[in-house]
Amino acid sequence: MKLQCIVLDDYQGVALSMADWSKVEDQVDVEVLREHISDEDSLVQAIEQADIIVMMRERTPIQAPLLRRLPNLKLLITTGMRNASLDAAAAVTQGIIVCGTEGNSQAASELTWALILGLAKGIAVEHEAFQKSGPWQSTVGADLYGHTLGIIGLGRLGSQVARVGLAFGMDVLAWSQNLTADLAAKVGVRMAASKEELLTKSDFVSIHLVQSERTRGLIGERELQMMQPNAFLINTSRSAIVNQEALVHALQQKWIQGAGLDVFDEEPLPLHHPLRSLPNVLATPHIGYVTEDTYRTWFAQIIENIQGFLAGSPIRQLTF
């Protein structure tokens, strides 16, 4: 009898075309679920017979209570080697093999710059007016050259974003709890003495941190009030790093000029959430990693992970 594999949250309907699933079709039947299922009982009904589940990180959370309702599950594959919405330790304790995928982070830094430029140049507003015969020129764009870009988190992604800022002729400041002056100098940027200095001096603040207990709520009401009223906040990292309620309030009160967002506390974001209607928000539905090259790499590795599991030699295995 073949094993049953279910791919969750294939929003674009491309999972089966991004890699060669024929490599496992003699041993595995693959089913793709395109629609997000938020209700746990409905989700269990849809996936409880699965031997293998493929999950896209941060789409459907898989935590211990759900795992206990999936007695047939033997292999769980997540995109990425880290997934805050997956209780991988609980899965391993339950005897489930957990594997991930590897890839580059360039796509997320590219989206960061799409949001920065979109905000700075009023692209969404001007495009909508252009298509709907609205006013011909209604915004005054912000400049990048000679202005300050603040990077919170100068790791791989933050460094990529910083180098582009330098190419635009921006003054780039960086800060994180672990950042050193030597590391900042290697990237060619200045290290801010504190989070407060970065926030008060930056025209654009872009977040590139790993979510942890230390970074959760790192930007709240106090920090948002420190920012300049003409400044923009960009978050393509993890939603919980910024207090979402405080951010909504800051945008409504115009403590800052605007925000570029790709991550949210709840995804998909409810239709009537205030972030969907605020005019000073430029938002995308968590698409920082949604690119053809990334998908082709991930789905090819997903199939390799299934092959390794079938052969009794799992690869890219997450252990705890």
Side-chain angles (χ1 to χ4, degrees), residues 24-63:
V24 296
E25 66 182 3
D26 59 332
Q27 298 182 69
V28 178
D29 282 328
V30 181
E31 179 184 355
V32 173
L33 301 182
R34 291 196 59 181
E35 299 299 320
H36 179 74
I37 304 174
S38 57
D39 176 72
E40 185 173 298
D41 289 338
S42 299
L43 180 62
V44 169
Q45 186 175 1
I47 67 175
E48 62 185 342
Q49 299 303 317
D51 302 285
I52 302 168
I53 290 176
V54 176
M55 63 180 295
M56 192 70 73
R57 61 184 184 183
E58 281 83 47
R59 291 187 182 171
T60 294
I62 296 186
Q63 300 291 313

Coordinates of all heavy atoms in Angstrom, one line a residue, residues 24-63:
V24 N 8.8 9.6 -6.7 CA 8.3 8.8 -5.5 C 6.9 8.3 -5.8 O 6.3 7.7 -4.9 CB 8.3 9.8 -4.3 CG1 9.7 10.2 -3.9 CG2 7.4 11.0 -4.5
E25 N 6.4 8.4 -7.0 CA 5.0 8.1 -7.2 C 4.7 6.6 -7.1 O 3.6 6.2 -6.9 CB 4.6 8.6 -8.6 CG 5.2 7.9 -9.8 CD 4.8 8.4 -11.1 OE1 4.0 9.4 -11.1 OE2 5.2 7.9 -12.1
D26 N 5.7 5.7 -7.2 CA 5.5 4.3 -7.0 C 5.3 3.9 -5.6 O 4.7 2.8 -5.3 CB 6.6 3.5 -7.6 CG 8.0 3.8 -6.9 OD1 8.1 5.0 -6.5 OD2 8.9 2.9 -6.9
Q27 N 5.6 4.8 -4.6 CA 5.5 4.5 -3.2 C 4.6 5.5 -2.5 O 4.2 5.2 -1.3 CB 6.8 4.4 -2.5 CG 7.8 3.3 -3.1 CD 9.1 3.3 -2.3 OE1 9.1 2.9 -1.1 NE2 10.2 3.7 -3.0
V28 N 4.3 6.6 -3.1 CA 3.6 7.7 -2.4 C 2.5 8.3 -3.3 O 2.7 8.6 -4.5 CB 4.6 8.8 -2.0 CG1 3.9 9.9 -1.3 CG2 5.7 8.3 -1.1
D29 N 1.3 8.4 -2.7 CA 0.3 9.2 -3.4 C 0.3 10.6 -2.8 O 0.3 10.8 -1.5 CB -1.1 8.6 -3.1 CG -1.4 7.3 -3.9 OD1 -0.9 7.3 -5.1 OD2 -2.1 6.4 -3.5
V30 N 0.3 11.6 -3.6 CA 0.4 13.0 -3.2 C -0.9 13.7 -3.4 O -1.5 13.7 -4.5 CB 1.5 13.7 -4.0 CG1 1.6 15.2 -3.5 CG2 2.8 13.0 -3.8
E31 N -1.4 14.4 -2.3 CA -2.6 15.2 -2.4 C -2.2 16.6 -2.0 O -1.4 16.8 -1.1 CB -3.6 14.7 -1.5 CG -4.9 15.5 -1.4 CD -5.9 15.0 -0.4 OE1 -5.7 14.0 0.2 OE2 -7.0 15.7 -0.2
V32 N -2.7 17.6 -2.7 CA -2.4 19.0 -2.5 C -3.6 19.7 -2.0 O -4.7 19.6 -2.6 CB -1.8 19.7 -3.8 CG1 -1.7 21.2 -3.6 CG2 -0.5 19.1 -4.2
L33 N -3.5 20.4 -0.9 CA -4.5 21.3 -0.4 C -4.2 22.7 -0.6 O -3.2 23.3 -0.1 CB -4.7 21.1 1.1 CG -5.1 19.6 1.6 CD1 -5.3 19.6 3.1 CD2 -6.3 19.1 0.9
R34 N -5.0 23.4 -1.5 CA -4.7 24.8 -1.8 C -5.2 25.8 -0.8 O -4.6 26.8 -0.6 CB -5.2 25.1 -3.2 CG -4.5 24.4 -4.3 CD -4.8 25.0 -5.7 NE -4.4 26.4 -5.7 CZ -4.6 27.2 -6.8 NH1 -5.2 26.7 -7.9 NH2 -4.2 28.5 -6.7
E35 N -6.4 25.5 -0.2 CA -7.0 26.4 0.7 C -6.5 26.2 2.1 O -6.3 25.1 2.6 CB -8.5 26.3 0.7 CG -9.1 26.5 -0.7 CD -8.9 27.9 -1.2 OE1 -8.9 28.9 -0.4 OE2 -8.6 28.1 -2.4
H36 N -6.3 27.4 2.8 CA -5.8 27.3 4.2 C -7.0 26.9 5.1 O -8.1 27.3 4.9 CB -5.4 28.7 4.6 CG -5.0 28.8 6.0 ND1 -3.8 28.3 6.5 CD2 -5.6 29.4 7.1 CE1 -3.7 28.5 7.8 NE2 -4.8 29.2 8.2
I37 N -6.8 26.0 6.0 CA -7.8 25.5 6.9 C -7.4 25.9 8.3 O -6.4 25.4 8.9 CB -7.9 23.9 6.8 CG1 -8.2 23.5 5.4 CG2 -9.0 23.4 7.8 CD1 -8.2 22.0 5.2
S38 N -8.1 26.9 8.8 CA -7.7 27.4 10.2 C -8.4 26.6 11.3 O -7.8 26.6 12.4 CB -8.1 28.9 10.2 OG -9.5 29.1 10.0
D39 N -9.5 26.0 11.1 CA -10.2 25.3 12.1 C -9.6 24.0 12.4 O -9.4 23.2 11.4 CB -11.7 25.1 11.8 CG -12.4 24.3 12.8 OD1 -12.7 24.8 13.9 OD2 -12.7 23.1 12.5
E40 N -9.2 23.7 13.6 CA -8.4 22.5 13.9 C -9.2 21.2 13.6 O -8.6 20.2 13.0 CB -7.9 22.4 15.3 CG -7.0 21.2 15.6 CD -6.3 21.2 16.9 OE1 -5.6 22.2 17.2 OE2 -6.6 20.3 17.7
D41 N -10.4 21.1 13.9 CA -11.2 19.9 13.7 C -11.3 19.7 12.1 O -11.2 18.5 11.7 CB -12.6 20.0 14.3 CG -12.6 20.0 15.8 OD1 -11.6 19.4 16.3 OD2 -13.6 20.5 16.4
S42 N -11.5 20.7 11.4 CA -11.6 20.6 9.9 C -10.3 20.1 9.3 O -10.2 19.3 8.4 CB -12.1 21.9 9.3 OG -13.4 22.2 9.7
L43 N -9.2 20.7 9.9 CA -7.9 20.3 9.4 C -7.6 18.9 9.7 O -7.1 18.1 8.9 CB -6.8 21.2 10.1 CG -5.4 21.0 9.7 CD1 -5.1 21.2 8.3 CD2 -4.4 21.9 10.6
V44 N -7.9 18.4 10.9 CA -7.7 17.0 11.3 C -8.4 16.1 10.3 O -7.9 15.1 9.9 CB -8.1 16.7 12.8 CG1 -8.1 15.2 13.0 CG2 -7.1 17.4 13.7
Q45 N -9.7 16.4 10.1 CA -10.5 15.6 9.1 C -9.8 15.5 7.8 O -9.9 14.5 7.1 CB -11.9 16.2 9.0 CG -12.8 15.4 8.2 CD -14.2 16.0 8.2 OE1 -14.5 17.0 8.8 NE2 -15.1 15.3 7.5
A46 N -9.1 16.6 7.4 CA -8.5 16.6 6.0 C -7.2 15.9 6.0 O -6.8 15.4 4.9 CB -8.3 18.1 5.6
I47 N -6.5 15.8 7.1 CA -5.1 15.3 7.0 C -4.8 14.1 8.0 O -3.7 13.6 8.0 CB -4.1 16.4 7.4 CG1 -4.2 16.9 8.8 CG2 -4.3 17.6 6.4 CD1 -3.1 17.9 9.2
E48 N -5.8 13.6 8.7 CA -5.5 12.6 9.7 C -5.0 11.3 9.2 O -4.4 10.5 9.9 CB -6.8 12.4 10.6 CG -8.0 11.8 9.8 CD -9.2 11.7 10.7 OE1 -9.0 11.7 12.0 OE2 -10.3 11.6 10.2
Q49 N -5.3 11.0 7.9 CA -4.8 9.8 7.3 C -3.4 9.9 6.7 O -2.8 8.9 6.2 CB -5.8 9.3 6.2 CG -7.2 9.0 6.7 CD -7.2 8.0 7.8 OE1 -6.5 7.0 7.7 NE2 -8.0 8.2 8.8
A50 N -2.8 11.1 6.8 CA -1.5 11.3 6.1 C -0.4 10.6 6.8 O -0.3 10.7 8.1 CB -1.2 12.8 6.0
D51 N 0.5 10.0 6.1 CA 1.7 9.4 6.6 C 2.8 10.5 6.5 O 3.8 10.5 7.3 CB 2.2 8.2 5.7 CG 1.1 7.1 5.7 OD1 1.0 6.4 6.8 OD2 0.4 6.9 4.7
I52 N 2.7 11.4 5.5 CA 3.7 12.4 5.3 C 3.0 13.7 5.1 O 2.0 13.8 4.4 CB 4.5 12.1 4.0 CG1 5.2 10.8 4.1 CG2 5.5 13.3 3.7 CD1 5.8 10.3 2.7
I53 N 3.4 14.8 5.8 CA 2.9 16.1 5.6 C 4.0 17.0 5.2 O 5.1 17.1 5.8 CB 2.2 16.6 6.9 CG1 0.9 15.8 7.1 CG2 1.9 18.1 6.8 CD1 0.2 16.2 8.4
V54 N 3.7 17.8 4.2 CA 4.6 18.9 3.8 C 4.0 20.2 4.1 O 2.8 20.5 3.7 CB 4.9 18.8 2.2 CG1 5.7 20.0 1.8 CG2 5.5 17.5 1.9
M55 N 4.7 21.0 4.9 CA 4.1 22.3 5.4 C 5.0 23.4 4.9 O 6.2 23.3 4.9 CB 3.9 22.3 6.9 CG 5.2 22.2 7.7 SD 5.0 22.2 9.5 CE 4.4 23.8 9.8
M56 N 4.4 24.5 4.6 CA 5.1 25.8 4.2 C 5.2 26.6 5.5 O 4.1 26.8 6.1 CB 4.4 26.5 3.1 CG 5.2 27.7 2.5 SD 6.6 27.1 1.5 CE 5.7 26.5 0.1
R57 N 6.4 27.0 5.9 CA 6.5 27.6 7.2 C 5.6 28.9 7.3 O 5.4 29.6 6.4 CB 8.0 28.0 7.4 CG 8.6 29.0 6.4 CD 10.0 29.2 6.7 NE 10.6 30.2 5.8 CZ 11.9 30.5 5.9 NH1 12.7 30.0 6.7 NH2 12.3 31.5 5.0
E58 N 5.1 29.0 8.5 CA 4.3 30.1 8.9 C 2.9 30.2 8.2 O 2.2 31.2 8.3 CB 5.0 31.5 8.7 CG 6.0 31.8 9.8 CD 7.3 31.2 9.6 OE1 7.8 31.3 8.5 OE2 7.9 30.6 10.6
R59 N 2.5 29.1 7.6 CA 1.2 29.1 7.0 C 0.2 28.3 8.0 O -0.5 29.0 8.7 CB 1.2 28.5 5.6 CG 1.9 29.4 4.6 CD 1.7 28.9 3.2 NE 2.5 29.8 2.3 CZ 2.7 29.6 1.0 NH1 2.3 28.5 0.4 NH2 3.4 30.4 0.3
T60 N 0.3 27.0 8.1 CA -0.5 26.3 9.0 C 0.4 25.9 10.2 O 1.3 25.2 10.1 CB -1.1 25.0 8.4 OG1 -2.1 25.4 7.4 CG2 -1.8 24.2 9.5
P61 N 0.1 26.4 11.4 CA 0.8 26.0 12.6 C 0.6 24.6 12.9 O -0.5 24.1 12.8 CB 0.3 26.9 13.7 CG -0.5 28.0 13.0 CD -1.0 27.5 11.7
I62 N 1.7 23.9 13.3 CA 1.5 22.5 13.7 C 2.2 22.4 15.1 O 3.4 22.3 15.2 CB 2.2 21.5 12.7 CG1 1.4 21.6 11.3 CG2 2.1 20.1 13.2 CD1 1.8 20.6 10.3
Q63 N 1.3 22.3 16.1 CA 1.8 22.3 17.5 C 1.4 20.9 18.1 O 0.7 20.1 17.5 CB 1.2 23.5 18.3 CG 1.5 24.8 17.7 CD 3.0 25.2 17.9 OE1 3.6 25.0 19.0 NE2 3.7 25.7 16.9

